[in-house]
Amino acid sequence: MSTPAAERGSTTVADRAVRRVAERAATEALAPGEVRTTRSSASVRGRRARVDVTVTLPYPTVLDDAGERVRSHVADRTARLTGLAVPSARVRVRELCLREEGASVEEGTSVEAGAGGRARRPWSSRRLPVAALTFAAAVVCGVLLYDVLAVRTADRPPARWRADLMGWLTTHGPESGAWPGLAAAFGVFCLGVWLLVLAVTPGRRGRLPMRSPVAGVHAVLDRRAVASLLRDAVTELPGITRVRVDVGRRRARVRAGLAFGLPEDAHRALTEAAERALAACGVDRPLRLRVRLRPVPAWRAPAAVPGSGDR
């Protein structure tokens, strides 16, 4: 007598097995080695499974096309191997991995500093000052040109404001020695110097150029991000507290307090941690590091006043 199929038992596919299958399927979606999984999850409910995979794609690539290929391959491959219904798979692109001559630059791979040439500071376009100055000059020139054309072509008398302005300039100009004319001339001189400085300086002092792994690739790093990385790196050290980090264009200053421990050992560990963090940032010009460590005063109980007893 045969046992009914419903009483023979059941096969359960664990969430972990589905997650492993989805991870392997994601790496098989494109060419070998192009897709790497960083995080994934799977949830099985009955005969249905939901899959979530976070991947790293090669650069350059079309994100929507590559992401759709990975998503469809993960859903189909997981359903075929597990026997579960995978209605949809969620794929998240966490980062892009740079490729050079068919080989990707993996995390932790060292790149020579001079591979892409000397990095240059980013040049600011100065959109706001240029737009404001251009608008003001266009308004003044337009009003003056309209009045001149009205006088020359329509035989109209000059505008009252222009006649008053010319009369005022003849008596208060720079040659007359009056202070309004001198102040106006000094203001125009300062404006010209400021425009020249903006024209010959790159600006964007808050960004540091990074080493370029290949020619034609330029990357910058915000100084506040470098300060945050340094602060996180030294805060994890035992006994270090009250950390303050200042990052400039040429140097980085780390000031910290020592709650406990030997000052010499703590200073050495603090310097090494800060140097590792700076090296990991990948800036083109290494920053000069200055570390200052001060012991934090420990709390002491107030001394008892002589003669003050319990009353």
Side-chain angles (χ1 to χ4, degrees):
M1 181 176 180
S2 60
T3 305
E7 300 178 1
R8 296 175 187 173
S10 60
T11 302
T12 302
V13 181
D15 297 348
R16 182 178 180 182
V18 177
R19 177 173 60 84
R20 291 294 181 85
V21 172
E23 289 179 353
R24 185 59 182 269
T27 58
E28 299 172 352
L30 303 180
E34 289 191 347
V35 181
R36 294 185 290 111
T37 59
T38 58
R39 186 186 309 170
S40 61
S41 62
S43 176
V44 180
R45 296 293 183 269
R47 303 297 302 173
R48 299 168 64 90
R50 300 184 61 181
V51 179
D52 189 344
V53 182
T54 302
V55 299
T56 298
L57 297 181
Y59 178 86
T61 187
V62 182
L63 291 180
D64 55 353
D65 185 21
E68 178 60 25
R69 291 171 58 185
V70 174
R71 188 203 63 78
S72 60
H73 186 79
V74 168
D76 297 341
R77 186 69 169 170
T78 304
R80 187 182 309 113
L81 294 180
T82 61
L84 302 174
V86 184
S88 63
R90 178 179 298 179
V91 175
R92 301 178 182 178
V93 181
R94 181 177 178 269
E95 61 181 354
L96 299 179
C97 183
L98 183 63
R99 283 190 168 276
E100 180 183 3
E101 298 181 357
S104 61
V105 180
E106 302 289 343
E107 293 183 1
T109 304
S110 59
V111 181
E112 295 183 0
R118 190 68 176 180
R120 296 177 299 175
R121 289 180 54 193
W123 200 275
S124 178
S125 55
R126 317 285 188 181
R127 293 186 178 92
L128 183 59
V130 170
L133 183 62
T134 303
F135 179 76
V139 171
V140 173
C141 293
V143 174
L144 183 60
L145 181 61
Y146 172 78
D147 185 66
V148 171
L149 291 177
V151 172
R152 297 296 182 181
T153 59
D155 294 333
R156 295 180 181 179
R160 182 64 180 272
W161 62 267
R162 188 159 68 96
D164 295 342
L165 178 61
M166 297 303 297
W168 185 87
L169 289 177
T170 55
T171 57
H172 298 81
E175 296 182 357
S176 63
W179 70 266
L182 295 177
F186 181 74
V188 174
F189 174 76
C190 293
L191 178 62
V193 172
W194 180 57
L195 293 178
L196 289 176
V197 171
L198 293 181
V200 301
T201 55
R204 294 187 179 180
R205 301 175 62 89
R207 301 181 182 180
L208 300 174
M210 302 179 64
R211 290 190 299 268
S212 178
V214 293
V217 177
H218 303 282
V220 294
L221 186 62
D222 195 274
R223 291 192 302 186
R224 293 175 296 182
V226 178
S228 299
L229 293 175
L230 282 176
R231 189 180 302 107
D232 295 341
V234 301
T235 305
E236 298 177 354
L237 298 177
I240 300 299
T241 181
R242 299 180 183 179
V243 179
R244 180 180 177 182
V245 180
D246 298 324
V247 178
R249 291 180 51 200
R250 295 290 184 268
R251 61 178 59 88
R253 301 181 180 90
V254 179
R255 303 175 182 176
L258 181 61
F260 58 87
L262 297 177
E264 295 79 6
D265 297 342
H267 189 277
R268 186 183 307 108
L270 182 64
T271 304
E272 294 176 355
E275 290 177 350
R276 289 194 300 267
L278 285 178
C281 292
V283 294
D284 182 63
R285 296 181 178 179
L287 301 176
R288 293 193 295 269
L289 180 63
R290 293 185 178 180
V291 177
R292 188 174 183 180
L293 185 63
R294 285 187 175 183
V296 178
W299 180 84
R300 296 181 180 179
V305 179
S308 61
D310 295 335
R311 297 182 180 178

